[in-house]
Amino acid sequence: MLDRRYLKNNKEDVSTRLKTRGEIPNLEDFWALEQKYGELLLQVEGLKARRNKVSAQVAVMKRNNEDANKLISDMQLVGEQIKALEVDLNQKEAEAQQYLLNIPNIPHASVPVGKNEFDNPEVRRWGILRAFDFPPKSHVEIGEGLGILDFERAAKISGARFCLYKRQGAQLERALINFMLDLHTRQHGYCEVLPPFMVNPQSLIATGQLPKFAEELFKMADDNYYLIPTAEVPVTNIHRDEILEEEQLPLSYVAYTPCFRREAGSYGKDTRGIIRQHQFNKVELVKFSRPEDSYTQLEILLHDAEMVLQHLEIPYRIITLCTGDLGFSAAKTYDIEAWIPSQQRYREISSCSNFEDFQARRAAIRYRPKGGKGKPVLVHTLNGSGLAVGRTVVAILENFQQADGSVIIPAALRQYMGGMEKIG
RNA sequence: GGAGAGGUGGCUGAGUGGUCGAAGGCGCUCGCCUGCUAAGCGAGUAUGGGGCCCAAAGCCCUAUCGAGGGUUCAAAUCCCUCCCUCUCCGCCA
């Protein structure tokens, strides 16, 4: 959510910067709404001030056994006026709130202007693409060949976009989760948390999935809970409605969770394999920082995520999402894309974003400047995948496949696989 | 699921219609004092919104005692609904 006052006072600036996202915001309506709201608020508060004052007088008179009936009947009228105005006021307030909740974040000045994913500039590449002396197979072929990925039975159990991992496949997934958690906690200083996988609507509003993207979420039919689409939701909400101490910042959390997404609107995309699933595992990094540090923290976050791929010896590249490709809540996003040999292209395996105070404002996450003096200030929130586990399995199977259909296990992972060096 | 108890400021804890944004204690901040530490003394110490102001400081108004509604001139206090926590029973990994 954007700052209401900033939005009110900088219509032109906000409007031009939002347009780079491809949004055409109608700020005039909002402005008119705010104007009306302000007037009503002034009226209502004026009347309340009067009533409070008179009520105090009534109290005094009653104590002195004086007759206060005149004042009381006057205030009855004032009470009715207040009630009538408040109906209008509350409606304006709700409208303004709805409006604000549906406006995306403003891109950071360093974000390249562009229309869509084809305008995302590459930042850097890492690793050497392996030269295959045989046609590389897709992870589906490899996984089914080895009997470690079973899509048919998953479809029977659940449906499309699910996968049953078996034997070394299941073990590999588990090994990766542990490897990533250990790396981030032991070497990068993150605090490990294991949050709930179901959350209430408030949490989803705070991080920006609601109200706008309800169709992407799995919702419980009989309870007011949603399955999390990412650990970002429960972990960012750890500090919802809290005032942190400046000394605590930056706070860094790492969490493993499964993620659940309806993938509405992506019919036909990545239908085969485990690239795009309704349920997938992810190790997520979340940071809370002072505003002045958040872009430094974004670089650190990106580095921490990259290190996973470097340890696993998987080639990747970093891109900056352009204004037109930026997610709703993000001010700036780097994607890490791993090399997928069967597709001869890089595919997203991590997304690292700075949300600035966009989520913090929705979630009321603030910190008190040092010394206990001064007003609480909104923190900046950041998060990034570190990494998407299923897609890491894809990258390993494909990049480390052998001509005979077997797969070498990256050295860094072997201690997590009971010393196993090869699958198949 | 059944029965009961309870949700008040950073914490603890009082408050059953007006003098309560809220006693007391703890903590914290600043100042004083003490050779150091401890103790002691004094002052201050919630958050959102709005207004005055170029801005800051400050002042004023308003809201907030789990959430939302209601009664009343007036609600932490009375009524209704919901949420959460705790205890016991049942069930269960």
Side-chain angles (χ1 to χ4, degrees):
Chain A
M1 192 159 72
L2 301 178
D3 179 39
R4 209 159 160 168
R5 207 178 296 180
Y6 185 82
L7 197 53
K8 232 173 7 183
N9 299 333
N10 301 275
K11 273 187 292 179
E12 286 315 306
D13 181 52
V14 172
S15 154
T16 39
R17 292 173 74 187
L18 284 181
K19 272 179 192 150
T20 64
R21 279 178 165 270
E23 292 269 332
I24 309 134
N26 186 352
L27 298 177
E28 291 305 320
D29 287 357
F30 176 71
W31 201 71
L33 196 62
E34 278 292 291
Q35 199 78 358
K36 185 72 195 149
Y37 172 78
E39 288 167 20
L40 284 166
L41 188 69
L42 220 60
Q43 278 185 63
V44 169
E45 290 203 340
L47 288 172
K48 281 186 176 175
R50 200 172 132 218
R51 184 177 66 181
N52 286 343
K53 213 164 267 172
V54 173
S55 288
Q57 256 176 287
V58 171
V60 172
M61 291 172 82
K62 291 237 169 184
R63 225 175 301 136
N64 298 337
N65 286 316
E66 292 170 46
D67 177 23
N69 285 340
K70 175 76 177 79
L71 293 182
I72 289 175
S73 61
D74 283 356
M75 285 311 102
Q76 269 170 346
L77 254 120
V78 170
E80 279 161 34
Q81 286 178 51
I82 291 174
K83 209 169 267 184
L85 286 170
E86 269 187 336
V87 172
D88 207 4
L89 181 75
N90 291 340
Q91 205 213 319
K92 293 282 179 293
E93 165 66 18
E95 273 178 51
Q97 193 64 14
Q98 269 322 102
Y99 193 93
L100 283 166
L101 285 175
N102 282 289
I103 299 177
N105 203 354
I106 294 173
H108 187 251
S110 69
V111 173
V113 174
K115 266 202 191 101
N116 52 39
E117 69 211 78
F118 301 108
D119 296 331
N120 297 336
E122 187 173 299
V123 178
R124 61 176 174 269
R125 291 184 183 205
W126 183 92
I128 298 154
L129 304 191
R130 180 176 151 205
F132 286 89
D133 50 12
F134 59 94
K137 292 190 239 169
S138 77
H139 71 279
V140 178
E141 292 171 279
I142 301 165
E144 288 183 331
L146 290 168
I148 60 173
L149 298 180
D150 188 338
F151 295 99
E152 275 184 39
R153 288 204 176 94
K156 173 174 69 183
I157 299 165
S158 299
R161 291 207 194 283
F162 287 93
C163 180
L164 172 68
Y165 290 69
K166 298 192 293 197
R167 293 185 282 275
Q168 296 100 319
Q171 225 183 311
L172 180 63
E173 182 93 2
R174 177 160 58 89
L176 280 167
I177 293 166
N178 285 329
F179 164 67
M180 292 179 196
L181 286 171
D182 284 349
L183 179 71
H184 295 309
T185 54
R186 291 174 192 170
Q187 292 188 34
H188 302 149
Y190 287 76
C191 169
E192 182 175 347
V193 290
L194 183 62
F197 302 157
M198 291 194 278
V199 295
N200 58 37
Q202 258 190 300
S203 292
L204 288 152
I205 288 168
T207 37
Q209 282 77 16
L210 288 180
K212 218 174 173 182
F213 305 100
E215 73 285 351
E216 263 306 308
L217 301 166
F218 285 107
K219 186 177 193 301
M220 299 296 123
D222 298 324
D223 302 277
N224 204 13
Y225 291 126
Y226 293 82
L227 290 174
I228 55 170
T230 159
E232 159 192 353
V233 179
V235 178
T236 304
N237 276 281
I238 288 174
H239 294 298
R240 169 148 54 87
D241 295 319
E242 288 184 17
I243 300 175
L244 307 166
E245 295 302 324
E246 182 169 4
E247 290 76 7
Q248 292 177 265
L249 302 175
L251 274 170
S252 303
Y253 291 103
V254 59
Y256 151 72
T257 73
C259 304
F260 304 91
R261 299 184 183 179
R262 291 191 61 230
E263 295 297 342
S266 59
Y267 309 110
K269 261 193 215 166
D270 303 307
T271 48
R272 274 174 63 72
I274 54 176
I275 298 247
R276 193 175 298 274
Q277 301 269 291
H278 286 309
Q279 173 191 322
F280 63 95
N281 292 311
K282 186 153 60 73
V283 170
E284 184 78 359
L285 308 171
V286 176
K287 280 175 180 278
F288 301 82
S289 101
R290 301 190 308 172
E292 56 267 44
D293 298 334
S294 69
Y295 280 93
T296 310
Q297 289 300 322
L298 178 61
E299 298 300 322
I300 295 171
L301 184 66
L302 176 65
H303 163 270
D304 295 340
E306 277 183 78
M307 286 314 287
V308 176
L309 290 170
Q310 292 194 14
H311 278 103
L312 295 175
E313 302 165 69
I314 297 166
Y316 66 86
R317 66 168 190 165
I318 311 283
I319 59 172
T320 306
L321 295 196
C322 70
T323 51
D325 203 24
L326 214 50
F328 178 76
S329 302
K332 180 169 187 171
T333 299
Y334 292 115
D335 273 7
I336 305 177
E337 299 183 326
W339 178 252
I340 304 299
S342 72
Q343 300 186 5
Q344 286 295 295
R345 56 184 277 225
Y346 290 96
R347 295 297 308 262
E348 177 186 340
I349 198 163
S350 172
S351 199
C352 300
S353 306
N354 186 355
F355 302 90
E356 297 188 357
D357 62 15
F358 188 86
Q359 294 180 327
R361 185 172 292 108
R362 290 169 163 242
I365 307 170
R366 295 162 292 172
Y367 76 94
R368 197 180 298 282
K370 265 199 193 90
K373 295 261 174 195
K375 287 262 168 200
V377 177
L378 291 170
V379 300
H380 280 192
T381 60
L382 303 93
N383 68 58
S385 350
L387 307 162
V389 181
R391 289 187 181 182
T392 307
V393 167
V394 171
I396 289 173
L397 293 182
E398 295 207 7
N399 281 286
F400 290 87
Q401 62 179 298
Q402 306 300 305
D404 66 358
S406 66
V407 174
I408 304 278
I409 295 167
L413 213 52
R414 289 177 194 163
Q415 54 170 310
Y416 290 91
M417 297 282 287
M420 194 189 301
E421 293 178 8
K422 199 168 102 167
I423 301 173

